Amino acid sequence: MADQLAISLRAWPSDDKTTESLPYLIARINDQRGSFRYITEASLEEAIRLAERGEELDLSAEDDGLPDSQDNEAKGEELAVAREDMIKRIGEAYNTSSQALDLVSLLLSSHTHKVAEATVSPYVKQTIPFGSLGAEIMQATKEVESEETSHDLVGLGWRLRSLTRSADSLLNSATRLEKEMERESTYWQQVLQVKEAGWPVSRLPGDRQTLGVRFGFGEAHADFRDRGLAALRRDADGNVDLDHGRRWQGEKRLRVRLVKDGRVLAEQPMQPPGDDKTLSERLFRARISLFDEELFHELNREARNLVSQGVHCMSGDVKVPYHDDCQLEISLVDVGMEEPTNSSNEDSTIPAAIAATLRLLLSHAHRQNLQRRSQPPAPITDTPTPRPLYSLL
């Protein structure tokens, strides 16, 4: 039996190529020695030396050099912070590059519309129309020292010019203010003279910011009483200008003439238009004019009721029969616009006396109005009180 031959029927082991592959070897090294970053040249030389002597390498000593759990946690936090910072910077870079791409796309949209439409972002495509932004190449200028000096001189010149204009503006304002003060002083001085002369000065009823002077008669009819108030306005030179209102038609005078067969026998002498220098003189002439207008108005009212006695109103004149086929012709004329007559005016006593008498009668009527207004009023009735008719003719 000892001479019998032993034959193995097991197959010859074949080489496992997976055990020699690089991933398999890396996995075995990680299991035995740990990560590659903890393998050093000194540790490898120590392992070779121990293998030659038949000793085994104590891997526990190498494990002491590995980081503990606290170091791993600290490293993990550092990695997380670094990751967030990197993601943030990557986002900023992406945003900046997207904006740059949109800018370039808008610049190209004026030349190549299709290319710009493919690269521009949807938000920019909806908000900014294509072709609205353009660019062109300009040659950069090199500033030399002389140009810099020239720019400084130009800036200095502009500043000097601005200061000069400011100084001129201040001087003009001071001059204008001085002239305005002179005009105001002249105006108030004339208003004070009117006040000292006895004319009542007050504010206008419709304009409380304007002064007015009353030169009319307080007992006249309402139409003429309201017209007896003039505004004291200032003209361009500072002098007082009397503003009589829209109803003022110029200075007028009552004219009385003695006429026979169309020929003027006698005529009241008219006062020539004077060049009144003071404001009081102008107010006095305006007072006389308003009084004569009211007198002529009342004469016309009374003449309508005296037609049976031969009094007529013709062509704006009141004609009253006198004696020996003569008539008294009473009219209202503008001062300085009287028509020339052929009469010698040798005897103007009668027309002048009649004119003075008519003015006295109207003054008496004003006094009667004052007395009537001073008495207790009559009982209130539905019938309005008629306007009294003055007895002048």
Side-chain angles (χ1 to χ4, degrees):
M1 295 294 294
D3 296 336
Q4 292 181 0
L5 180 61
I7 300 174
S8 178
L9 298 178
R10 182 181 297 176
W12 187 264
S14 61
D15 296 334
D16 190 0
K17 295 182 179 181
T18 58
T19 58
E20 297 180 359
S21 62
L22 183 59
Y24 178 75
L25 294 176
I26 291 175
R28 286 183 61 187
I29 292 172
N30 288 332
D31 293 339
Q32 295 177 4
R33 306 296 297 273
S35 179
F36 275 93
R37 58 181 175 174
Y38 302 114
I39 299 176
T40 62
E41 185 178 357
S43 64
L44 292 176
E45 291 178 354
E46 181 67 21
I48 294 171
R49 193 180 304 113
L50 292 175
E52 290 177 351
R53 290 184 296 181
E55 298 178 2
E56 294 183 359
L57 179 62
D58 188 7
L59 297 177
S60 62
E62 294 184 3
D63 293 339
D64 296 338
L66 297 177
D68 54 2
S69 60
Q70 295 180 357
D71 294 340
N72 291 334
E73 292 179 0
K75 292 292 183 180
E77 293 178 359
E78 293 180 0
L79 289 174
V81 173
R83 180 177 178 276
E84 292 179 359
D85 184 61
M86 182 175 62
I87 292 175
K88 180 180 178 181
R89 293 181 182 274
I90 290 174
E92 293 177 355
Y94 177 76
N95 187 24
T96 304
S97 61
S98 299
Q99 292 178 357
L101 179 60
D102 292 337
L103 177 62
V104 174
S105 300
L106 288 176
L107 290 174
L108 294 177
S109 62
S110 58
H111 303 286
T112 56
H113 184 79
K114 294 183 178 180
V115 176
E117 186 177 3
T119 57
V120 74
S121 63
Y123 176 76
V124 175
K125 185 185 299 184
Q126 294 177 1
T127 55
I128 303 178
F130 283 175
S132 61
L133 186 64
E136 59 182 4
I137 300 175
M138 297 180 63
Q139 186 177 1
T141 58
K142 296 181 180 180
E143 294 187 359
V144 295
E145 184 177 358
S146 60
E147 293 181 355
E148 294 180 357
T149 305
S150 177
H151 292 169
D152 295 339
L153 292 177
V154 170
L156 181 60
W158 277 105
R159 286 193 292 271
L160 290 176
R161 184 178 180 182
S162 300
L163 291 175
T164 303
R165 287 184 176 179
S166 300
D168 294 341
S169 178
L170 291 175
L171 291 176
N172 293 335
S173 300
T175 304
R176 185 172 62 255
L177 181 60
E178 184 179 0
K179 293 181 180 179
E180 185 69 18
M181 291 176 61
E182 292 178 357
R183 289 192 289 264
E184 284 290 331
S185 177
T186 303
Y187 172 79
W188 288 109
Q189 185 178 3
Q190 295 183 7
V191 171
L192 183 60
Q193 292 177 358
V194 172
K195 182 69 176 179
E196 292 176 350
W199 299 97
V201 178
S202 62
R203 298 180 183 272
L204 293 180
D207 187 4
R208 306 297 297 176
Q209 303 297 327
T210 305
L211 291 178
V213 57
R214 182 169 295 280
F215 61 90
F217 297 86
E219 303 304 326
H221 188 257
D223 294 341
F224 298 95
R225 184 176 63 250
D226 295 340
R227 291 172 57 187
L229 183 63
L232 299 176
R233 305 191 184 278
R234 195 191 71 178
D235 59 6
D237 297 331
N239 298 319
V240 176
D241 185 17
L242 288 177
D243 186 4
H244 297 277
R246 299 179 180 178
R247 300 177 62 181
W248 178 257
Q249 299 179 357
E251 189 177 351
K252 299 180 180 297
R253 288 292 183 273
L254 188 71
R255 184 180 62 180
V256 179
R257 296 191 298 184
L258 186 61
V259 181
K260 182 179 181 180
D261 297 333
R263 186 170 61 90
V264 179
L265 301 178
E267 182 179 358
Q268 169 198 0
M270 300 296 295
Q271 182 180 3
D275 187 10
D276 302 326
K277 297 182 180 181
T278 62
L279 186 60
S280 297
E281 294 177 355
R282 285 184 288 168
L283 288 172
F284 184 73
R285 296 178 68 90
R287 180 182 176 89
I288 296 176
S289 175
L290 186 63
F291 185 82
D292 285 355
E293 288 185 37
E294 183 184 6
L295 176 59
F296 186 72
H297 175 73
E298 296 297 336
L299 289 175
N300 276 275
R301 290 183 61 222
E302 187 181 5
R304 297 189 186 97
N305 296 330
L306 298 178
V307 177
S308 60
Q309 299 182 17
V311 180
H312 301 282
C313 296
M314 300 176 60
S315 302
D317 299 335
V318 177
K319 296 183 179 181
V320 182
Y322 194 56
H323 64 85
D324 296 336
D325 297 333
C326 294
Q327 288 183 339
L328 288 175
E329 185 179 280
I330 304 173
S331 58
L332 189 68
V333 297
D334 296 330
V335 175
M337 302 295 294
E338 300 87 356
E339 298 178 359
T341 58
N342 298 326
S343 63
S344 59
N345 290 334
E346 295 178 355
D347 188 7
S348 60
T349 305
I350 296 177
I354 294 175
T357 303
L358 292 176
R359 291 187 176 96
L360 289 175
L361 290 175
L362 181 60
S363 298
H364 178 67
H366 286 172
R367 186 177 296 274
Q368 288 181 345
N369 290 338
L370 178 59
Q371 294 177 356
R372 190 181 304 110
R373 193 161 56 89
S374 302
Q375 295 176 359
I380 299 177
T381 59
D382 296 335
T383 304
T385 303
R387 179 183 171 185
L389 190 65
Y390 302 152
S391 299
L392 305 176
L393 296 176

